[in-house]
Amino acid sequence: MELRLSVFGIKRSIDLSRFARYRNAAVVLASALLVIPLTVWLLHPAAVPDLAHGNVAGARALAAGWAKGNVIVLVRHVERCDHSSAACLNGNDGITDRSRSVAVGVGAQFEQLGLDKADIYNSPVIRTAQTAGYMFNKIGVGEEWLINCKGTMLRDALAHKAGGRNLILVTHSECMSQLEKDLKLPAATLGYGASLFISTETPQAPRMLGFIEASDWRSVTTE
């Protein structure tokens, strides 16, 4: 296609086919700039849901699964003494004195969910044993797989899950991150005393329910 122009007697012709080629290339480039980020966004794994702050659907799913005994929850120990300037409870390897109330408060929330059909384990580290003691009035002998969990967290948790009974595991942040990795989810940065819940309604395909920070339980609602 050619455009002919005549200005002050001077005639010129412009080959528009060249611009058409550039136009097509521009369209392709613009499309790529839109499609590539969209594809990356769609393929990126979803973040772990926060079950607090008005997430009614998530809280209801947790309550329903818990009532059926289909939940595994990893609970991070409360504030560790050797990473804080606060007073220690008992020894530098344990928790801080001020974090006792946090553990007791989280335990009260689990009491409301119901502990009559729940099995509770803790890692052999002092800070998890102390956390379990104040949180659930129970200290286990210590499970090595709850600290040596690299690459095996989900497998070991499922192996210890009894049918119709919830499983509470007092453990460490690295084991919580490993569970998220096992489920092919991005790791969330969870604080002391946080809880990470998964559903085993279909044991062959466990799925993430979400997390609740220790300070956020009061904002959890099913209404």
Side-chain angles (χ1 to χ4, degrees), residues 7-222:
V7 180
F8 302 117
I10 301 173
K11 296 181 179 180
R12 291 287 187 272
S13 62
I14 302 174
D15 185 359
L16 294 180
S17 61
R18 292 184 301 169
F19 292 98
R21 290 197 297 271
Y22 295 142
R23 181 194 62 195
N24 293 339
V27 170
V28 171
L29 178 60
S31 299
L33 291 175
L34 290 173
V35 170
I36 292 174
L38 180 61
T39 302
V40 171
W41 179 77
L42 290 173
L43 294 178
H44 190 273
V48 177
D50 184 350
L51 298 177
H53 303 106
N55 183 353
V56 175
R60 284 177 177 172
L62 169 58
W66 193 270
K68 296 176 182 177
N70 288 336
V71 176
I72 296 175
V73 53
L74 275 63
V75 183
R76 187 183 179 190
H77 59 81
V78 292
E79 185 180 40
R80 56 186 292 179
C81 187
D82 59 350
H83 284 190
S84 173
S85 59
C88 298
L89 176 65
N90 183 17
N92 194 50
D93 294 333
I95 63 175
T96 59
D97 183 64
R98 68 184 182 186
S99 67
R100 284 187 297 172
S101 60
V102 176
V104 171
V106 172
Q109 298 295 334
F110 276 99
E111 186 70 36
Q112 289 185 25
L113 279 175
L115 294 174
D116 56 321
K117 52 180 181 181
D119 298 315
I120 303 170
Y121 297 92
N122 58 267
S123 90
V125 179
I126 292 177
R127 57 183 175 272
T128 57
Q130 290 177 339
T131 298
Y134 285 105
M135 198 173 283
F136 302 110
N137 296 315
K138 176 183 173 63
I139 300 176
V141 295
E143 303 288 326
E144 287 289 339
W145 59 277
L146 285 175
I147 188 170
N148 297 318
C149 53
K150 186 175 181 179
T152 62
M153 188 66 241
L154 179 59
R155 183 197 70 190
D156 289 339
L158 291 171
H160 286 79
K161 171 72 171 64
R165 295 185 62 81
N166 298 304
L167 180 62
I168 300 174
L169 307 173
V170 185
T171 183
H172 307 266
S173 59
E174 55 265 36
C175 292
M176 299 171 89
S177 296
Q178 181 61 57
L179 179 70
E180 293 165 323
K181 184 177 180 180
D182 292 342
L183 291 172
K184 295 179 171 53
L185 293 170
T189 303
L190 302 178
Y192 291 122
S195 303
L196 186 66
F197 300 88
I198 66 171
S199 169
T200 61
E201 184 174 4
T202 304
Q204 297 78 14
R207 63 183 180 86
M208 178 63 67
L209 290 173
F211 70 90
I212 302 175
E213 291 284 1
S215 59
D216 291 341
W217 279 92
R218 291 184 179 180
S219 68
V220 177
T221 178
T222 57

